[in-house]
Amino acid sequence: MKLSHINRRSFLQFSAATAAAFLVPGGALPVQAGTWSHGLSVFGDLKYPADFTSFDYVNPEAPVGGKIAMTAPSWGYNQNPQTFNTFNTFILKGDAPPRMERCFDSLMIRAYDEPDAVYGLVAESAMVSEDGNFVTFKIRPEARFHDGSVLNAEDVVFSLMTLKEKGHPIISQSIKEMVSATAPDEHTVTVAFSGNHSRQLPLLIATLPIFSKNYYTRYNFEASTLTPPLSSGPYMVGRYEIGRYIEYKKVENYWAKDLPVTKGHHNFEIIRLDFFRDRQATFEAFKKGRLTFHEEFSSKTWATEYNFPALTEGRVVKKEFAIRLPSGAQGWFLNTRKEKFANPKVREALGYAFDFEWSNSALFYDLYTRTQSFFENSEMKAVGQPSEAELALLEPFKKDLPPEVFGEAITQPISNGSGQDRKLLREASLLLKEAGYYRRGEQLVGPDGKQLVMEFLSNSPAFERIVLPYVKNLRLLGIEASFRVVDPAQFQKRVDDFDYDIVGHRFALTPTLGPSIRNFWTSSAAETFGSYNLSGIKVPAVDDLVEKALNASSREEMITAARALDRVLRAGFYWVPQWFKAFHTVAVWDMFGIPNDMPAYDFPVETTWWVDSEKAARIGKES
């Protein structure tokens, strides 16, 4: 069972994984400062040479055509998988359809078989200054927008400065240490940084969307609008019906279609996204063939409901793909901006009331493993006692941190699997008593004389079967807990405004941490509406460790800082961790070609798969 904004709000597409170790004196030098390079990398040399013809994980001979129809398994920015009312996805206002980013090119593009490398798209090359405070991009003269107009350096400058001033907070906050972007000539862009910027920022800049400056002299960038924007990417908005479906149509004469970074990509003529308010309706649409790709996030459905005729006949097949990325931080996040969650003992007590072992057995068919870490399924996860290197980062904050930070990494209690473990509930009661709460009849009353009341906010009734047993245990403690479902637009507005008690989310991170992590955990993000610091964490040690991770001069230093950060976050009990599985569970109508080697650092179905016309004909599907 997957919650709401999974890697969806992770800022993954334009983000965080890509950076440049060579920007910091004393760091690794995979690319020499002061020289032009076709790509940029963080910790190590580039895998692909300047004359590479395509990435290894694509089929450069893949046929182009056909359609994939699906619901969005991931999304970002202001995108909403259940409805849409605007095509402007790079601002906070409105609900945009997922995948609008497919319409926009960027200076460079990620390689998904490397943890932290990008290669030239609009920019044919880049050069970093000796001091790391400037990066210059050389723009390809052939770059074009969809109306045929030239995409030049002024458009890049306009885009970067507009995103810094008016873009979605996830972008604007991440690039605030970008001082300026200038265009010495129509094919050159120079970006200046403050000197206090993270090592990853220049690469984040390289992967941001590029807009037409001329177009936005006629249209307001900050407007929520259903006018499809002028863009330059491999797809453009095609047919759509507001709130029901959108089709992204492949651009026939896409200017970059023969570049090495796009060869073997964008093979579908149409990428169609359908919108449903209900999980069961989505599944029924897939069973009938209205959807042809479906990533399944319900363990119950995966275990018990894939027995419909199309599957037993072999026209639909189930597949599992290993996830080699960090599995991410999935849980119920507690809003510490509210006084009732200010005491960490209260927050810790709430964790004792959730019986994962019962849920996994009774609800999830033992498909999941308990999440423990904010960096689950990765080497950044803290385990056991802190190392000497971790302690060196933590010691300066010792007087302000709980002692648990300096011992065994916090792990979640293991229940007896009964669904109502009295021992764990007793531990919760003791913690609440230490926090100043006491029983008054059936009610748990706080120091203010009022019963402790909390609401789980959701945008889907599918989670009711999971939350209600948890609510039952909370009520045994005397807490008045409830589960509330609101419509998608209201849910997003309340999340953006931090108007909730408890909300379920998952944030999947990339193997190399980037500026977006400031939006998850830092003090400044806690007060920025639309940020992903859902718990409202404001801890100086966290702020410092985030910067240590971002400015690490080696992968080992980054891992050490991340482990120390993980210890502090886990000891703060800002969430009740949920669960994860280390593989994608996918069902498809058996009409697709799939590359032999899926890349380690993404699951790029829409960009690297294709329609196999012979397979499509065999199952009676149009290619």
Side-chain angles (χ1 to χ4, degrees), residues 87-88 100 103-104 146 215-216 227-231 237:
F87 290 128
N88 191 348
M100 277 300 298
C103 300
F104 294 87
H146 293 156
Y215 178 84
Y216 285 106
T227 299
L230 176 64
S231 52
V237 174

Side-chain angles (χ1 to χ4, degrees), residues 14 22 59 223 262 307 352 391 409 414 457 484 520 601 615:
F14 298 123
F22 56 87
N59 174 8
T262 58
N307 52 13
Y352 278 91
L391 288 173
I414 299 174
L457 182 68
R484 184 178 182 189
F520 298 155
Y601 300 111
K615 293 172 71 174

Side-chain angles (χ1 to χ4, degrees), residues 36-39 46-53 119 124 260:
W36 292 101
S37 174
H38 66 293
L46 295 170
K47 174 182 177 179
Y48 294 95
D51 61 350
F52 83 101
T53 57
Y119 295 85
E124 61 184 1

Side-chain angles (χ1 to χ4, degrees), residues 513-571:
L513 300 178
S516 63
I517 67 172
R518 292 194 183 104
N519 293 288
F520 298 155
W521 302 310
T522 63
S523 299
S524 60
E527 304 302 328
T528 302
F529 290 130
S531 86
Y532 302 153
N533 189 341
L534 299 178
S535 295
I537 300 167
K538 298 178 72 172
V539 178
V542 169
D543 296 340
D544 181 78
L545 291 168
V546 163
E547 296 307 314
K548 290 286 198 308
L550 293 179
N551 290 289
S553 61
S554 67
R555 182 167 293 279
E556 290 71 25
E557 285 187 11
M558 183 198 73
I559 290 169
T560 296
R563 288 174 177 172
L565 174 62
D566 193 32
R567 292 179 186 278
V568 176
L569 292 171
R570 286 158 69 177

Side-chain angles (χ1 to χ4, degrees), residues 381-388 390-392 394-395 398 401-411 563-573:
K381 175 182 177 178
V383 178
Q385 295 283 340
S387 66
E388 290 187 11
E390 291 172 56
L391 288 173
L394 294 167
E395 286 289 346
K398 189 166 187 176
L401 292 174
E404 291 85 352
V405 170
F406 299 89
E408 292 281 332
I410 294 294
T411 56
R563 288 174 177 172
L565 174 62
D566 193 32
R567 292 179 186 278
V568 176
L569 292 171
R570 286 158 69 177
F573 301 102

